[in-house]
Amino acid sequence: MSKNIGRLNMKGAKTIGIGLALLAASLLTSSAVLAAVHNISLTAEVLPNGQYGYKRDGQAVIPGPTLFVKQGDTVTIKVTNNTDKPAGFKVPGLSTESATKAAPNGGTVSYTFIATKPGAYPYYGEGQHLLGLFGAVVVDRADGKAESFVEGDGSIGFVHTSKLAKQFVLFMVGSTFWATEISPTGAETPLWTNPTLGALENDIVRFHILSVGPGHTFHLHAHRWLEPGTTSVIDTRLMSDIADSHTFTVRAGTGVGPGDWQYHCHLFSHMEAGMHGSFKVHPTQGPNKGVGNSVAGASPYGAIFGNKSDDPGLVTFVISDEPSSWFKSARSETIFSVTGGTRSLEVIPPGSSVNFIMSDTNTVHTMTSLLWPSEAGNPSNDHHSNNGQGKSRGRGTAITEHAVMPFDQTRAYKGGGIVKLTKPGLYVFTCKVHPYMFGAVIVDDPETEGLDLGETINLATGIVNLPTSSDLATRLLRTFFIATAPNNWQNVISPTPWKITYPAVPVRITGGAVANLADVLTARYGNDIALTPPLVPAHPGVGEVWVDTQFEKTASKTKPGTITVVDAATWKVSRKIALPGINMNNPHNMWTNRDQSVVYQTQWFDNKLTLINQKTGALIKNIQVGEAPAHVMTRPDNDDITVTNNGEDGISLIPAGTTTVSQMMPTQKSGQHATNPHGHWISADGSQVVTPNIFTNDVGFYDLNNGSILERTPTGENAPGAHPIAIAMMPDSSKFYAANLLHHSVSVLDGKGALKKTINLIADYNPIDGTIQDRDGDGQATVGILPIQLPVSPDGRAVVVANMGESIIIIDTLTDRVVKMLPCGAGCHGANFGAKKGGGYYAYVTSKFANELIVVDADPNNDGNLSDAMIAGRVSLVSDSSVPADDQVSNLAGYGGQGVLAIPNVYNSWVKNLPGEWKEQLTAAQQNP
């Protein structure tokens, strides 16, 4: 037996452990005078990829320098901030004083704590901690003993810290491991992201597992250890939210021998997002004898655009609630001149990685491949299968950090992800919950001319081998550059033409051709385009039109979003509602109660439903419902409120007259995949709710009275990523329509959920050359790319489809055929019907990237023939100082149009419950559509 390592069987361990604890306490008391005082200086720095790190000596690192002290020591930390954001220092669990305020750029803060308890504790600079300002304080026992460990025969071993072969500091942040290795001499080696941890068989290795931000569950294959303070043997540890830590010691390979043993987060969606690595135990003899070295992962100092290195690099996207910068490169300001105005584009060489971190958002998201190089989707191209989902592969075959495209998660959550990209070409990522969030990465082979877009790309909808020179490929690129750069949005009141700025860089496309990207996109789609100015409709509407100008920013808020109210009699903005008191965050969709006195407003990038006084615009109440609430509707039979929680798996139910969620009605059975419903509709009698289920690519029919699942119907012709996003209903509930965003189609279902027809909105479109001509023989040449909202007119005659690809499609419900196409603004999104004064209906259509409300008259002469559908008016959503408002508009005036609501609500069943003051403004036909 080693002088420093003892053995003890499990029986009797508790008794002897208590005795040892008493002895240790006695030694600590008698040696208290030996407690040390540490004065440590750190700086907070910006790393090459835009992340942040603490520095003590040498370069700034993630995790920050590990600070080893003894129990009883006093530690004073001085932090100088060299970053562009406030940075500070705090150690939850050790401090007896309030946290020091963060220092501004160039400033310094000091922080003192006493190391009262042994263990590992995270330290971090609040605000920037998820981007790298974190590290560990390790408080060792005064007697120098490390944690006990479990031998292969179940006995317990003891070791002094001086005899440890090595220590690993592993931080779980987002869905990435950040690691440092500590040698017996105390030397620290950064291992960066998801490294392969190395050790020799029988080495005694100490692990410090820490987390900041959302919690995780740490698991290490093949090894067991003791729950601190007990004799319980575990191999998994739940890490709490905000900050947590766990330290244990193992004998490498004990009971199992050499091999590659996976460590990972035990949450499946986090494993899918890349949260796993390998603990490689090397044999000490034989032909495969090793040296026990660790292998570092991708690093902020590695190879990325503008940073030459032989090591794999790491670029980071910050996922945020900020308009246009939903996927924002952490170093976007550094490469802004290259990316052409977007902050959502990155360039890396093959073999480097992309890190996603949700450090600036209030709700859940996914990191999902929208398109990728076709080669990257081939499992034979040096990738593991199963999307890196963390399943055990047995001895010697640990999962690597990269995956076959597409990269995806089965559940939305708060965290992040990491993916290694090895094949040159264009990769575009989105969030399935908020599908206009975009981040793009060009993996560029430095040996070829131009930035590599790849020969062909695959799309999430199942389209494969699409040439990058095709119209569909470049059209999607154009959409990306519009969505992610506010300077590319349409300002309808500007006297100058609409100009889109593209990166003027050479790109390599199909056949090895090299072309200037800006020249190609301009040649195909034009530029300096004259926009149609605002046009006052010749005929008034009834009541008001409420528009969720979701991106508009105001002076007193940190989150975007207002409601713009338009008077349908004068066609002028009559009110702006920002609700600065609750920092209303990305208001997305609305509905009203029966008497139209309360407007229910969802906050899609949050978890709140807001109740607003319709007459005054004042806040009534802000209530928590579920993650990413998308749409809200009332039951026409009893006025109960229903809210689809797009970031979860259910519908929140709020009884009429109350402001508390009574239950979350599940939209899937136990064991089924998460559905994540978006824009629902309720049957005319109030008994059924129909949801478009984004994650499962189907439409669900549910009984609202008992919560049972009546039907689940796949849409989009079983395309793998059809992405049904909105539902509409015939007035008598005989048919429902579903918009399939990524399949560019509309599904028609009967009242029982059976699929009747799929309307292909791009049947007339040639995706290769971009031509649009009548190919389906209906006498129309139309195209509807990326359909979103699609209400049915209250009289049941027309479906108006808002397509993000800048068109409005009119469908005749008698034939379920497309009969007209009208132009729409950039990012065309929302649609809803309201009453036209004197009879008939207007469809109100909004656009995310154009600051106008389009008024559509689907049947101007009320003859039932929809071929004369027309744009009756265009209303600017920009207000002036004379418009009543509860906050001052500061930026992105009038932009982000998504949810749109006409008051009074004139849909069948709802219109019948209107009070007299509203009904008297309607014709007899409008009162009974």
Side-chain angles (χ1 to χ4, degrees):
M1 180 183 298
S2 165
K3 179 179 178 181
N4 295 289
I5 303 176
R7 293 169 64 95
L8 181 71
N9 60 34
M10 298 289 279
K11 187 176 180 180
K14 183 175 182 180
T15 302
I16 295 176
I18 293 172
L20 290 172
L22 291 172
L23 176 60
S26 174
L27 289 172
L28 178 60
T29 303
S30 64
S31 61
V33 294
L34 300 178
V37 175
H38 302 269
N39 292 292
I40 299 171
S41 293
L42 300 174
T43 60
E45 307 282 351
V46 180
L47 279 59
N49 73 343
Q51 288 191 250
Y52 304 98
Y54 286 112
K55 181 176 78 170
R56 188 175 186 181
D57 299 302
Q59 64 183 11
V61 290
I62 307 175
T66 304
L67 310 179
F68 283 92
V69 298
K70 295 283 189 181
Q71 186 178 8
D73 289 355
T74 298
V75 184
T76 296
I77 303 291
K78 183 175 73 172
V79 177
T80 300
N81 181 18
N82 292 331
T83 76
D84 55 342
K85 300 286 180 64
F89 186 93
K90 64 187 299 185
V91 190
L94 287 180
S95 176
T96 56
E97 61 181 45
S98 60
T100 303
K101 291 183 179 179
N105 175 261
T108 299
V109 296
S110 292
Y111 188 94
T112 299
F113 63 89
I114 298 174
T116 53
K117 298 176 291 183
Y121 300 89
Y123 68 80
Y124 56 90
E126 198 164 29
Q128 310 308 321
H129 54 296
L130 296 181
L131 279 175
L133 281 187
F134 55 81
V137 175
V138 176
V139 181
D140 284 324
R141 289 171 32 156
D143 62 8
K145 283 189 177 180
E147 293 69 25
S148 303
F149 60 92
V150 180
E151 294 282 18
D153 61 3
S155 62
I156 298 176
F158 304 94
V159 63
H160 193 277
T161 55
S162 64
K163 298 301 179 181
L164 292 167
K166 59 180 63 180
Q167 301 183 64
F168 294 118
V169 174
L170 275 177
F171 266 88
M172 305 176 77
V173 183
S175 282
T176 302
F177 284 97
W178 290 87
T180 298
E181 181 177 310
I182 315 294
S183 75
T185 65
E188 299 189 26
T189 302
L191 297 179
W192 305 114
T193 55
N194 292 2
T196 297
L197 307 177
L200 291 173
E201 185 178 7
N202 291 320
D203 277 352
I204 308 299
V205 181
R206 192 186 196 193
F207 285 79
H208 304 285
I209 310 301
L210 305 102
S211 67
V212 292
H216 298 277
T217 303
F218 178 81
H219 175 58
L220 173 61
H221 285 200
H223 293 77
R224 302 173 300 154
W225 58 91
L226 295 176
E227 178 73 27
T230 75
T231 56
S232 299
V233 178
I234 61 174
D235 65 1
T236 303
R237 176 59 179 247
L238 175 64
M239 310 295 289
S240 299
D241 288 344
I242 302 177
D244 201 1
S245 60
H246 176 59
T247 295
F248 64 90
T249 303
V250 299
R251 184 188 291 278
T254 184
V256 293
D260 278 10
W261 308 109
Q262 191 186 18
Y263 63 86
H264 59 86
C265 178
H266 229 303
L267 297 175
F268 187 73
S269 56
H270 296 197
M271 286 188 281
E272 288 179 300
M275 200 168 201
H276 45 73
S278 172
F279 178 38
K280 187 170 185 178
V281 179
H282 298 254
T284 57
Q285 55 187 351
N288 296 320
K289 178 180 177 181
V291 293
N293 288 343
S294 299
V295 180
S299 154
Y301 292 94
I304 56 179
F305 180 80
N307 190 36
K308 292 188 179 298
S309 173
D310 293 330
D311 297 324
L314 184 80
V315 292
T316 293
F317 284 110
V318 177
I319 296 178
S320 81
D321 301 339
E322 189 68 15
S324 79
S325 296
W326 301 287
F327 283 74
K328 180 182 178 181
S329 167
R331 59 168 187 157
S332 59
E333 302 304 325
T334 305
I335 61 172
F336 192 64
S337 60
V338 177
T339 59
T342 176
R343 289 173 168 80
S344 301
L345 175 64
E346 265 292 356
V347 182
I348 61 175
S352 288
S353 296
V354 183
N355 182 41
F356 304 94
I357 187 70
M358 299 179 196
S359 64
D360 189 30
T361 183
N362 284 7
T363 193
V364 298
H365 302 277
T366 70
M367 296 71 59
T368 298
S369 296
L370 182 60
L371 62 86
W372 57 92
S374 300
E375 273 196 296
N378 183 348
S380 66
N381 288 331
D382 303 322
H383 294 280
H384 288 299
S385 59
N386 288 328
N387 199 25
Q389 292 174 353
K391 295 182 180 178
S392 174
R393 300 183 185 278
R395 191 159 161 176
T397 54
I399 296 177
T400 61
E401 69 201 77
H402 58 110
V404 162
M405 293 289 113
F407 184 67
D408 195 12
Q409 299 80 52
T410 53
R411 298 189 71 90
Y413 65 98
K414 293 179 181 177
I418 185 170
V419 59
K420 182 177 180 179
L421 303 178
T422 60
K423 298 297 175 183
L426 175 66
Y427 298 76
V428 177
F429 300 91
T430 187
C431 169
K432 286 189 291 188
V433 178
H434 312 90
Y436 53 72
M437 296 173 61
F438 298 130
V441 180
I442 295 175
V443 177
D444 180 50
D445 183 349
E447 301 300 318
T448 60
E449 182 184 358
L451 296 177
D452 290 280
L453 299 187
E455 280 286 316
T456 61
I457 55 174
N458 292 358
L459 305 183
T461 52
I463 295 175
V464 298
N465 301 318
L466 180 72
T468 53
S469 59
S470 68
D471 180 78
L472 180 56
T474 56
R475 191 176 290 272
L476 291 173
L477 260 181
R478 176 179 180 271
T479 299
F480 169 83
F481 287 116
I482 292 173
T484 61
N487 58 293
N488 288 338
W489 295 357
Q490 294 176 339
N491 184 359
V492 299
I493 63 172
S494 172
T496 60
W498 178 37
K499 183 178 181 63
I500 306 175
T501 301
Y502 303 112
V505 295
V507 292
R508 188 179 183 87
I509 54 178
T510 307
V514 177
N516 183 284
L517 180 60
D519 291 345
V520 170
L521 295 177
T522 299
R524 289 191 173 183
Y525 309 113
N527 220 329
D528 296 307
I529 302 167
L531 297 176
T532 304
L535 170 68
V536 176
H539 203 80
V542 175
E544 299 176 329
V545 184
W546 287 45
V547 177
D548 279 329
T549 33
Q550 189 171 323
F551 302 157
E552 189 169 61
K553 306 192 77 173
T554 60
S556 303
K557 292 170 55 181
T558 60
K559 294 298 184 181
T562 66
I563 301 166
T564 301
V565 182
V566 174
D567 186 330
T570 64
W571 301 111
K572 292 182 178 180
V573 174
S574 60
R575 185 181 297 278
K576 286 280 184 177
I577 303 169
L579 299 183
I582 60 169
N583 203 17
M584 184 168 63
N585 184 5
N586 280 271
H588 184 67
N589 201 263
M590 298 164 287
W591 203 258
T592 60
N593 63 343
R594 283 184 173 181
D595 65 12
Q596 316 293 284
S597 65
V598 179
V599 175
Y600 305 115
Q601 173 68 71
T602 61
Q603 297 181 56
W604 195 23
F605 283 65
D606 218 293
N607 60 4
K608 304 292 195 306
L609 177 73
T610 304
L611 282 62
I612 301 169
N613 183 299
Q614 180 266 331
K615 291 187 182 300
T616 67
L619 173 70
I620 297 173
K621 193 163 186 180
N622 199 34
I623 62 176
Q624 184 171 322
V625 282
E627 292 294 345
H631 283 225
V632 55
M633 288 190 79
T634 56
R635 287 182 58 159
D637 57 333
N638 61 17
D639 223 21
D640 285 356
I641 307 164
T642 67
V643 182
T644 52
N645 296 305
N646 201 186
E648 298 189 43
D649 307 323
I651 301 171
S652 289
L653 304 180
I654 304 170
T658 73
T659 55
T660 303
V661 175
S662 62
Q663 71 174 102
M664 174 90 78
M665 190 183 84
T667 46
Q668 84 294 326
K669 295 179 181 178
S670 178
Q672 290 183 328
H673 288 303
T675 59
N676 298 74
H678 190 92
H680 63 309
W681 207 272
I682 297 175
S683 62
D685 63 3
S687 66
Q688 287 186 28
V689 60
V690 183
T691 65
N693 298 325
I694 286 174
F695 279 35
T696 49
N697 297 305
D698 59 28
V699 169
F701 286 71
Y702 308 91
D703 189 315
L704 267 176
N705 294 315
N706 60 31
S708 62
I709 299 175
L710 304 174
E711 190 62 61
R712 291 276 294 277
T713 306
T715 64
E717 299 175 335
N718 293 310
H723 212 98
I725 197 168
I727 296 292
M729 178 193 75
M730 290 289 286
D732 60 358
S733 306
S734 61
K735 281 193 298 189
F736 290 85
Y737 294 84
N740 301 307
L741 177 70
L742 299 182
H743 191 249
H744 318 292
S745 68
V746 171
S747 295
V748 186
L749 304 102
D750 67 20
K752 295 183 178 179
L755 182 65
K756 295 172 61 70
K757 183 177 182 179
T758 299
I759 304 172
N760 182 1
L761 299 183
I762 58 171
D764 294 337
Y765 167 65
N766 184 322
I768 303 300
D769 63 19
T771 57
I772 302 172
Q773 58 187 29
D774 182 14
R775 290 183 171 87
D776 56 5
D778 63 358
Q780 299 285 326
T782 61
V783 58
I785 294 175
L786 302 171
I788 303 183
Q789 277 198 280
L790 70 170
V792 178
S793 58
D795 59 7
R797 281 296 292 119
V799 181
V800 173
V801 187
N803 303 286
M804 191 170 166
E806 301 174 30
S807 72
I808 299 168
I809 291 293
I810 311 296
I811 296 172
D812 188 325
T813 59
L814 296 180
T815 61
D816 287 332
R817 297 176 71 93
V818 175
V819 294
K820 192 69 178 284
M821 179 176 74
L822 301 170
C824 194
C828 193
H829 185 108
N832 230 329
F833 278 93
K836 182 179 175 182
K837 190 74 172 177
Y841 300 93
Y842 280 137
Y844 299 112
V845 182
T846 59
S847 298
K848 295 184 287 290
F849 314 123
N851 49 8
E852 67 175 348
L853 171 70
I854 294 178
V855 182
V856 173
D857 197 334
D859 189 8
N861 55 10
N862 294 317
D863 65 353
N865 182 355
L866 307 182
S867 62
D868 57 356
M870 60 177 286
I871 291 179
R874 296 175 179 270
V875 180
S876 167
L877 297 176
V878 180
S879 61
D880 58 33
S881 59
S882 67
V883 174
D886 56 3
D887 201 5
Q888 182 180 354
V889 175
S890 59
N891 198 10
L892 304 181
Y895 285 114
Q898 289 174 61
V900 56
L901 172 71
I903 298 175
N905 185 335
V906 292
Y907 288 102
N908 186 35
S909 293
W910 288 275
V911 71
K912 294 174 182 177
N913 290 311
L914 287 176
E917 65 175 302
W918 291 106
K919 272 192 175 181
E920 65 187 20
Q921 300 182 51
L922 306 176
T923 66
Q926 289 171 333
Q927 293 180 34
N928 294 282

